[in-house]
Amino acid sequence: MKTLKDVISLKFKTSESEGVIFHGEGQQGDYITLELKKAKLVLNLNLGSNQLGSIFGHTSVTTGSLLDDHHWHSIIIERHGRNINLTLDRHMQHFRTNGEFDYLDLDYEITFGGMPFSGKPSSNSKKNFKGCMESINYNGNNITDLAKRKKLEPSNVGNLSFYCVEPHTVPVFFNATSYLEVPGRPSQDLFSVSFLFRTWNPNGLLLFSNFADDLGNVEIDINEGKVSVHINVTQVKKNRIDISSAV
């Protein structure tokens, strides 16, 4: 397809912070990729570059944050030549692509939920999307309905279900005064804990536990936006270990 105008819309929800939502590319070097990176939405678009390097068409725009919250988010991409409107959850961002070309020339297939391995370094480093999509519309074509009725030819569908699987995890909300206390295991020599968390607060206590027989304690907290682990051991010479995250 060689198009001057494009309208692409869909809704998605996921618990993953990385994943390709859709991708298309052409023999002339044109491409369009919409993906999640660090739970932000990234649109990469190139309407064409020349081999001499005087015309560089690659354009990248990032919008949104915390999009891996397993809530539905809506996307609309409207393109007329080099003019782009990118709308995420009713927040529209307008920009113009780099370069001098107006047409998007896609010779190969368009893929949703991932991208095929093309041998290019960029293709094998990107994760497929893991989550749910609905209302996928590409230039007036209802892709969701066509895929469900098996009217897309040719198509390559793998491990695709036409229902949304809900996660088995149960979140817990803590306010400034609440906490959750669970019984320890004094007979165990190994202390192991893992959890996911999300907060807007730069400081706070995540976990605290005393060791058995007054041997010390362990504390995990957030300090100025960084996660720190503090281990206090009473019966050794170096009785405190502090580990802090880089970001």
Side-chain angles (χ1 to χ4, degrees):
M1 296 180 293
K2 187 175 183 179
T3 58
L4 179 64
K5 302 178 182 179
D6 291 297
V7 179
I8 306 165
S9 62
L10 58 88
K11 295 179 180 178
F12 75 91
K13 69 174 178 177
T14 181
S15 299
E16 302 290 326
S17 61
E18 308 277 336
V20 175
I21 297 175
F22 76 83
H23 172 79
E25 61 183 87
Q27 295 181 3
Q28 305 298 321
D30 295 20
Y31 56 80
I32 181 171
T33 304
L34 185 70
E35 62 183 317
L36 288 173
K37 280 188 174 181
K38 296 182 179 180
K40 298 179 180 181
L41 189 69
V42 180
L43 175 63
N44 293 308
L45 183 63
N46 191 338
L47 301 181
S49 304
N50 65 5
Q51 296 180 350
L52 300 177
S54 59
I55 301 176
F56 183 69
H58 173 75
T59 306
S60 183
V61 175
T62 301
T63 186
S65 63
L66 304 178
L67 299 177
D68 55 347
D69 57 359
H70 204 73
H71 289 139
W72 284 107
H73 298 281
S74 62
I75 303 169
I76 304 175
I77 300 172
E78 301 166 291
R79 184 185 71 87
H80 189 292
R82 294 173 57 198
N83 295 296
I84 313 290
N85 289 334
L86 174 60
T87 305
L88 172 64
D89 296 333
R90 299 183 180 180
H91 174 72
M92 188 180 74
Q93 185 173 348
H94 176 79
F95 64 95
R96 281 176 61 85
T97 61
N98 298 320
E100 299 179 0
F101 301 105
D102 295 319
Y103 284 85
L104 179 61
D105 195 354
L106 303 180
D107 303 300
Y108 304 117
E109 69 274 4
I110 300 167
T111 58
F112 291 88
M115 58 188 296
F117 178 75
S118 63
K120 298 178 181 178
S122 60
S123 66
N124 58 0
S125 62
K126 296 183 181 294
K127 292 180 62 176
N128 282 7
F129 176 83
K130 183 179 179 182
C132 303
M133 293 189 200
E134 68 176 21
S135 304
I136 304 174
N137 195 291
Y138 186 90
N139 289 343
N141 296 297
N142 189 330
I143 303 299
T144 314
D145 180 65
L146 292 174
K148 188 174 183 179
R149 294 190 292 118
K150 299 181 180 180
K151 297 295 184 179
L152 290 174
E153 296 293 341
S155 65
N156 183 15
V157 179
N159 196 21
L160 190 65
S161 303
F162 291 98
Y163 58 89
C164 194
V165 179
E166 296 298 327
H168 297 294
T169 56
V170 179
V172 180
F173 174 76
F174 297 91
N175 58 30
T177 60
S178 61
Y179 63 92
L180 177 66
E181 186 177 57
V182 296
R185 296 182 178 181
S187 60
Q188 296 288 328
D189 295 332
L190 176 66
F191 179 85
S192 177
V193 63
S194 64
F195 56 87
L196 302 174
F197 75 92
R198 171 166 291 158
T199 181
W200 293 106
N201 297 326
N203 302 291
L205 179 64
L206 295 174
L207 178 141
F208 180 85
S209 179
N210 284 312
F211 297 143
D213 302 324
D214 295 326
L215 294 178
N217 57 64
V218 59
E219 176 182 321
I220 304 176
D221 60 22
I222 309 174
N223 188 5
E224 299 299 328
K226 295 183 179 181
V227 177
S228 299
V229 179
H230 311 284
I231 303 174
N232 296 292
V233 183
T234 58
Q235 297 183 355
V236 295
K237 185 175 181 180
K238 187 179 180 182
N239 58 6
R240 183 179 174 90
I241 301 173
D242 297 305
I243 305 172
S244 180
S245 64
V247 292

